[in-house]
Every structure is written in C-alpha cells, then in structure tokens.
Amino acid sequence: MDLAGKLAQERRARLAAERLLEQKQAELHAANRKLGKHARALSDEIVVTRAKVQTALDENQRVKSDLHVANEKVQVAERRLWHSIETIQDGFAFFDDSGRMIAANPAYCSVFDGLSAIEPGISYVEILQLATEEGIVNIGDDDPAAWRETMLDRWQTTDPEPTVIRLWSGEYIKLIDQRGHGGDVVSLALNITATIRYEERLKEARARAEAASRAKSSFLANMSHEIRTPMNGVVGMADLLKETELTDEQRLYADTIKNSGEALLVIINDVLDYSKIEAEKLVLKPEPFDLERCIHELIMLMQPKARDQGLDILLDYDLFLPTQFIGDPGRLRQVLTNLMGNAVKFTEKGHVLIRVTGLVGEDGKAQVHITVEDTGIGIPADKVDHVFGEFNQVDDEHNRRFEGTGLGLAISQQLVRMMGGRIWVESELGAGSTFGFQITMPMVGGAEPPCPVEIANLQTVMIVDGNDANRQILEKRISLLGAGTLCCADAAEALARMGPEVDLVLTDHHLAAMDGLELAEALRAAGHDVPVILLSDSTGYAAQDPARALLHAVLQKPVSRQDLCAAIGSISAPAPPMPEQPTPGAPPRALRVLAAEDNKTNRLVFSKMVGTLDIELTFAENGVEAVEKYQTLRPDIVFMDISMPLMDGKEATGRIRAIEATTGAHAPIVAMTAHAMEGDDAGILAAGLDHYLTKPLRKAAIHERIMEACPPDVRPPRPPVDDVG
C-alpha cells in the first residue's frame, strides 16, 4: 500500500476516533446532566425531609412542654383540692375497689378520736372493728357483731343508703357513701349534731305550741259555753220582758239589756270564728239555698235598727239572675251581716243599698257580684287598705264613736277567699262606702225564669217614692217586665199626674206630707179606681189602718221579685177557692214536749218562750230523769241540753234511741247547747240527735221545731195566721 493510501486510511481512522470521542463526550454530557438532575432532586428531598424532621422535633418539644405544664396544673389542682378537703369541717375519705382506704382528711380521722390505726391502707372491715371495740360509736344495746354486719351489708350495696351514727361524745355523724363505676368509694362523714338538736328543739316547741293551741281551743270552748249559758237567761228573759206591758222607760231598759247581750254574743262569735280560721279548722258546708231570700231575711233583722236611725235599706236584685244556688248559706250570711251591719252602723242618714248582679255560665254556674253601698261617713284614704286587717277600725282608738272587735271584715275576707272569691272596698271620706265581693256558685236546676208573670196588659205603672235610689230600682224592674213607668217623688205629684193611662200605682208607705194610705184615699175620692200596691216596712201597722180596704196588696219592703210579680199577676187573676172547712169531731190531744235542762233560769226561759203554744210541757233536770220521763210520757219532741249532771245529753239520747229501737218509734230530739266550736254540731248530731240549737235560744227557732214535729193526729200548737193583703 502506498503512502497516500496509508495516509488516507490513517485519516479515516482518525476521523472515526474523533467521531467516537465526540459521541462518548455527548453521552458523558447527557449522563452528567441526568446525574445533576437526580442530585438536585435528591437535594430537594433531603431539604424537605430535614424540614419535616425539624417540625417533628419542634412538635415533640412543644408536646413535652405542654405535658409538663399540664402535669404542673394537675399537681396544683390536686394540692388545692386536697387542701380544700383537709380544711372542710366534714370528713372525706377514698376507698379502692377492695375496700381499703386510699386517703382521708383530718376531719374523717377525728371521728375516730385520733386512733393511729386509721390511716391509708386500712380496710373498711377493720374500721368497723375499731369503731365498736374502742367504743367510738354508741350502738346502745345492739350486738356489736350484728351492728358491724349491718354496716358492712350497707357498704357493699351498689348504692348505699345514707345512715346516721351516734358517737360516744353524743355527736351525730351522717355517713354518705358513693360507689364509682370501678368499685372505688367516696365517703362523706357529715357532723349533723346541730341539726339534730335543732330538730329536737323544734319538736319540743311544736309540742308546746300544740299544747297551747289545745289549751286555747279548750279555753275558747269553755268560755263560749260558760258565757252562753247565763246569756241564754239574760237575752231570753229580756226578749220575754219586752212582750209584757211596760212603760217607755222599762222598755228602754229591756231593749238595752237585750242589745247589750247580743252585742256580747257577736264579740264572742267573732273571736271564735277568727280562732277557727287561724287554726285552719273552719270548713264550708255547701247546700242548696235561696240567695234573695237570705238577703231579705238579713234586711228584716236589721230594719228595726235602720228605722230607728231614719235609714232605708234597699235591695236591687238582678231580675234575670237566678236565686237558687249551692253554697254555704251560714257563712254567706255572716259575710253579708258584717258588711250590712257596718253600713248601717256607719251611716247616720240616707240609705244602705244591697245590689246583686251576676253572669250565668253555660257550665251551670253563676258569677255573683254583691255590693253593699251606703251614704255614711266613708273611710279616709290612708285607711282604705287596712280595713280588712285584724282588729282594725275606721275611728281612732282614742276617740271611738262605734263599738266592735275590728274582726268582722278580716273574717269576711277570709271566708270569701275560702269560697274562691275576692272582696274589695271603694270609699270617699264623707260620701259613703261600697263594699263588694264576687264568688262563683253552682245553680240549682239551672236558671229559673226571673218572674213568672206577664204584665203586658199593663200600659203604665206609676211609682211613688221619695227615695231616689228606691224609685230607680222599681223603675228598672217594671221596665224589664215590659211596662212603662211614671215616677213621682210624693203624693201631690202623683195626684197631679194621674191619668187614664195609669194601670197600677206602686207607692211607698212613708211619704212626705201625705203617706201612701192617704194617697189611696185621695185617689178614690178623685174617682180613680186604679189598683194600688203599698210598699211598707211595717205591714202590720198598715193592715190595721181603715184605708187597707182600698189597697190591692201590702208588700214588705224591700219587696222581693217573687212577691212583686205575684201581686201584679193577681190584679187580673181569679180569686182562689175557699178552703174546705174540716168536719167537727172529737178534739185531738195536745203536743207533748219534754225538755231536759239542769239550769233553773234556762227552764224558766224555755217555759216562757213556749208559753203561748198549746202544748203539754214537761221538764227533766238531768239525763237520767230525761230517759225515765221519756218512757212514761212518750213525748212527740224532746229538747235536750247537752251538759247535764249524772248523765249528759248525748248519753241520754243514746239510751232513748236504744228504747226506740225496740218500739219502732222515733221522736225528734233537738240539742240545746252552749257549745259553739267547730265540730261540736257534728259530734252532737252523730250521737243520735236530729237538730242543733245554740244558746242563747231563739223563740222563733224553738217554735219552728215544735211545729215541724206536730203529728197529724195532734192538735196544732197554734192556729195558722191569716195572711194580710
């Protein structure tokens, strides 16, 4: 091969080597670049990992720091808690689930009088053993082993009941144990010595208070009995004395004796009622009664006193309100008596108006509002809020014009509250007062018609009355019944306004210048034959007047709705048929009355009270004599005193009822007693008596019982009284 060929070959070889070197350099460069990228990635990963590791180290350090702080707080809390437990006065201890003490405060350990064995690690069984062996606990006559067994049984229950132990020192410890879910027990030992001794003092005080209350009740009952017994003679004889021929001066003395005696009885009744209310022993006795009749009866009782003072007592009873209700008529009368009595007492001129309104509900009950309005002295503004307080009175205690206990309104307020109602007062000094109360009562048989008469045939009714309030009441009643009215203040005005359109004249008895009877005479003299109805508070006097024949009817004031409607309805009604005369025959026997009474004065009073009756009266001076005379006389009615020597009225009644059980007879036995405390009537009636009369006895009540007991074959004790008008 020539030189050129060799040079060419060498050049090709060199070029190939250069290309190979260039290729290897390119590969090395690519490898270096790849290695650089991997190194950078690895470096980044190391940085991230290092950051994570540092974060973890920081978090670990923070947790360690927080844990240290938490541990310090727990230790502080534990120290404070245990310090608190150690400082409290009551014992506190922990026991594990096996019953061994974990810890206890000094107060718990002091219960065991400083025994060194009472320390952490001691078992509950050992504690009980030490308590009995060392005499720490006063278990009395109980067996120590039995006491420990009882206490251990209690401890082992899931929820131990608290128990009280007495220490040798006389202190009382109440043990309260609470078992946890894991079986450990927290035990409290509370020193309740002060509480126990306070309760003992309370029991002693309660016993003394109850003894004092019993003594007070016994004293009140005895006082009532002892006062009522002689008062029966005082009031009864004064009442009988008034029925005899007396001079004006003697009658004044008799009235004074009777009024003073009854005033004393009012005071006694107020004190007794207030004591019963205070002791929460007063019980309401609901029964059917007529509200309007109840108010009328009270007005009749107070009318003589009002008439003496020149006062009119008026009643405005809602024409569309029923009168039959279910309630306690006795207590309702008591409230009305207090309110009406105060109105009459504190009113020197004018009138006292009782107004009754109400709302009838669909549930068979009526909401009744009763107000007592007067034109009296009124109540000062600073005393209005105090009139219902105990022993409070309107007049100053240093300048008293009106007598009384000051309990009437307080008792009335309590009674109204017991009836579920409310009571109030509105007053203006010098202008009068209005006392009112509202109660809800069930109606008897629903709402009855207000007035069973149609007066549509009456065109105009003339009302003649000098009292504005009474005139307005009558005007409202007649208008509601459907007739027109013509109102006159006196007889002269009535005569001047009389015309053919007037179909009826309603006139008051006592008019100025010319009274109602003289008005009737003047009307007849003028040729008017219009019916005239006289309203009078003294119907007996009006019935004896010759002008009575000119009247259609005489009605007692205040006139009730029924009486007014009946009188108006009878204007065109046919005359009632004459009653058949009984066939003459043999006269029946007189009613036999046996009265058992040991007090001589009361026997005299009773005999005088029934002296006008056609009866055979026999007295027994004690219970034994009453039973003996019952068997020989066979009386139709027996009046039985309760407190008598040898045998009291209850036992005598029991003997009589035993005799009647063999004969089939039954004579009414009426208790005559001076006992008036709550429950006395129930005890007396439970002994077999039929009725109950409280001393001082009332003549009308005795006569009523005698008339009710009259058998058909016995001569009536008194003939029936013919109605007037």
Side-chain angles (χ1 to χ4, degrees), residues 630-701:
Y630 174 84
Q631 298 180 74
T632 58
L633 296 174
R634 297 297 179 184
D636 299 298
I637 184 171
V638 179
F639 287 88
M640 183 75 71
D641 186 27
I642 297 301
S643 299
M644 292 186 295
L646 301 181
M647 181 187 296
D648 65 19
K650 293 182 181 179
E651 185 178 352
T653 299
R655 300 284 182 90
I656 291 175
R657 294 304 185 215
I659 295 171
E660 291 179 339
T662 62
T663 62
H666 181 87
I669 302 180
V670 182
M672 302 185 300
T673 177
H675 294 283
M677 292 294 287
E678 181 70 27
D680 289 340
D681 55 347
I684 290 172
L685 297 178
L689 292 100
D690 299 279
H691 304 288
Y692 178 93
L693 296 180
T694 303
K695 293 178 180 177
L697 302 176
R698 295 293 185 264
K699 182 178 179 180

Side-chain angles (χ1 to χ4, degrees), residues 258 434 472 698:
K258 183 174 183 291
T434 298
Q472 292 171 4
R698 295 293 185 264

Side-chain angles (χ1 to χ4, degrees), residues 352-667:
V352 173
L353 170 60
I354 299 94
R355 197 184 304 274
V356 184
T357 59
L359 296 174
V360 177
E362 297 180 356
D363 57 352
K365 297 181 179 180
Q367 190 179 83
V368 181
H369 294 255
I370 303 177
T371 59
V372 179
E373 307 169 14
D374 65 61
T375 57
I377 62 174
I379 304 172
D382 60 338
K383 292 188 176 182
V384 170
D385 296 333
H386 304 287
V387 294
F388 292 108
E390 298 88 349
F391 308 104
N392 289 342
Q393 294 177 320
V394 174
D395 49 345
D396 187 81
E397 61 182 357
H398 300 295
N399 185 24
R400 296 189 60 187
R401 298 167 53 201
F402 305 98
E403 296 298 327
T405 61
L407 288 173
L409 290 177
I411 293 172
S412 298
Q413 184 183 54
Q414 295 295 333
L415 291 175
V416 171
R417 286 177 177 174
M418 291 179 64
M419 297 176 190
R422 63 185 183 90
I423 190 170
W424 66 89
V425 59
E426 298 173 358
S427 184
E428 182 180 349
L429 188 62
S433 306
T434 298
F435 283 84
F437 64 95
Q438 173 267 316
I439 56 176
T440 300
M441 296 183 291
M443 297 177 292
V444 178
E448 68 270 19
C451 191
V453 66
E454 291 290 341
I455 63 170
N457 58 326
L458 296 180
Q459 180 180 357
T460 303
V461 176
M462 176 179 283
I463 301 171
V464 188
D465 198 308
N467 187 295
D468 294 339
N470 202 34
R471 199 166 57 245
Q472 292 171 4
I473 293 172
L474 291 172
E475 181 182 10
K476 182 175 68 172
R477 287 189 178 183
I478 298 301
S479 299
L480 290 173
L481 290 174
T485 59
L486 181 62
C487 295
C488 303
D490 53 39
E493 183 182 356
L495 290 172
R497 300 180 65 181
M498 174 58 64
E501 74 281 0
V502 177
D503 301 309
L504 173 65
V505 175
L506 286 177
T507 178
D508 186 34
H509 186 177
H510 302 287
L511 299 172
M514 180 186 297
D515 66 20
L517 291 167
E518 293 172 331
L519 172 60
E521 292 176 334
L523 288 172
R524 296 296 179 260
H528 301 290
D529 59 354
V530 60
V532 178
I533 296 178
L534 184 73
L535 308 180
S536 176
D537 55 7
S538 54
T539 55
Y541 169 76
Q544 298 172 3
D545 194 284
R548 171 63 182 88
L550 304 177
L551 304 175
H552 175 73
V554 178
L555 301 180
Q556 178 72 45
K557 287 178 58 181
V559 61
S560 68
R561 301 178 306 173
Q562 288 77 8
D563 291 345
L564 180 61
C565 291
I568 294 176
S570 66
I571 292 176
S572 57
M578 294 296 293
E580 296 182 1
Q581 296 296 325
T583 303
R589 66 174 178 83
L591 185 79
R592 291 192 290 265
V593 178
L594 173 62
E597 173 62 69
D598 65 306
N599 186 281
K600 181 178 179 181
T601 301
N602 288 339
R603 288 199 299 272
L604 176 61
V605 171
F606 188 91
S607 64
K608 294 298 183 181
M609 285 185 170
V610 300
T612 58
L613 300 181
D614 181 14
I615 61 173
E616 293 180 7
L617 175 62
T618 304
F619 280 108
E621 298 185 10
N622 54 63
V624 174
E625 190 175 335
V627 176
E628 294 174 352
K629 291 192 175 182
Y630 174 84
Q631 298 180 74
T632 58
L633 296 174
R634 297 297 179 184
D636 299 298
I637 184 171
V638 179
F639 287 88
M640 183 75 71
D641 186 27
I642 297 301
S643 299
M644 292 186 295
L646 301 181
M647 181 187 296
D648 65 19
K650 293 182 181 179
E651 185 178 352
T653 299
R655 300 284 182 90
I656 291 175
R657 294 304 185 215
I659 295 171
E660 291 179 339
T662 62
T663 62
H666 181 87

Side-chain angles (χ1 to χ4, degrees), residues 39 55 61 149 227 230 285 315 343 347 517 537 566 574 585 643 683 705 714:
T55 301
Q61 185 64 31
E149 183 178 358
I227 293 179
K285 300 176 181 178
L315 173 62
T347 304
L517 291 167
D537 55 7
S643 299
R705 295 302 175 198
V714 171

Side-chain angles (χ1 to χ4, degrees), residues 124-140:
Y124 188 74
V125 174
E126 292 174 318
I127 292 177
L128 295 178
Q129 190 79 22
L130 290 172
T132 54
E133 290 180 353
E134 298 294 334
I136 302 299
V137 179
N138 183 357
I139 61 175

Side-chain angles (χ1 to χ4, degrees), residues 215-464:
K216 183 184 74 172
S217 298
S218 177
F219 168 75
L220 289 173
N222 290 333
M223 180 186 71
S224 172
H225 180 272
E226 295 302 322
I227 293 179
R228 285 174 184 274
T229 298
M231 286 305 297
N232 183 59
V234 174
V235 176
M237 292 304 290
D239 206 14
L240 293 171
L241 182 61
K242 291 174 59 179
E243 297 179 1
T244 63
E245 293 292 333
L246 300 174
T247 64
D248 291 341
E249 185 177 10
Q250 291 170 334
R251 185 168 300 278
L252 174 62
Y253 295 162
D255 284 337
T256 303
I257 294 172
K258 183 174 183 291
N259 293 337
S260 299
E262 291 182 341
L264 177 59
L265 289 174
V266 169
I267 296 173
I268 295 172
N269 290 334
D270 281 349
V271 173
L272 292 177
D273 282 338
Y274 187 75
S275 298
K276 286 184 282 188
I277 292 173
E278 186 182 43
E280 298 182 351
K281 292 184 178 180
L282 192 145
V283 180
L284 298 178
K285 300 176 181 178
E287 62 181 61
F289 74 103
D290 189 312
L291 177 59
E292 186 179 22
R293 180 182 176 185
C294 174
I295 297 175
H296 271 278
E297 290 174 350
L298 292 177
I299 292 175
M300 294 299 295
L301 290 174
M302 297 186 182
Q303 214 158 37
K305 178 176 176 58
R307 190 186 302 119
D308 292 342
Q309 296 178 213
L311 302 177
D312 287 326
I313 302 182
L314 313 176
L315 173 62
D316 182 10
Y317 197 105
D318 185 356
L319 192 65
F320 296 100
L321 180 67
T323 64
Q324 300 291 326
F325 297 98
I326 296 177
D328 189 330
R331 295 304 176 184
L332 194 58
R333 282 172 179 264
Q334 186 173 356
V335 174
L336 287 169
T337 299
N338 280 328
L339 300 185
M340 294 166 61
N342 282 344
V344 172
K345 177 166 59 173
F346 293 107
T347 304
E348 297 178 346
K349 61 180 180 178
H351 66 266
V352 173
L353 170 60
I354 299 94
R355 197 184 304 274
V356 184
T357 59
L359 296 174
V360 177
E362 297 180 356
D363 57 352
K365 297 181 179 180
Q367 190 179 83
V368 181
H369 294 255
I370 303 177
T371 59
V372 179
E373 307 169 14
D374 65 61
T375 57
I377 62 174
I379 304 172
D382 60 338
K383 292 188 176 182
V384 170
D385 296 333
H386 304 287
V387 294
F388 292 108
E390 298 88 349
F391 308 104
N392 289 342
Q393 294 177 320
V394 174
D395 49 345
D396 187 81
E397 61 182 357
H398 300 295
N399 185 24
R400 296 189 60 187
R401 298 167 53 201
F402 305 98
E403 296 298 327
T405 61
L407 288 173
L409 290 177
I411 293 172
S412 298
Q413 184 183 54
Q414 295 295 333
L415 291 175
V416 171
R417 286 177 177 174
M418 291 179 64
M419 297 176 190
R422 63 185 183 90
I423 190 170
W424 66 89
V425 59
E426 298 173 358
S427 184
E428 182 180 349
L429 188 62
S433 306
T434 298
F435 283 84
F437 64 95
Q438 173 267 316
I439 56 176
T440 300
M441 296 183 291
M443 297 177 292
V444 178
E448 68 270 19
C451 191
V453 66
E454 291 290 341
I455 63 170
N457 58 326
L458 296 180
Q459 180 180 357
T460 303
V461 176
M462 176 179 283
I463 301 171
V464 188

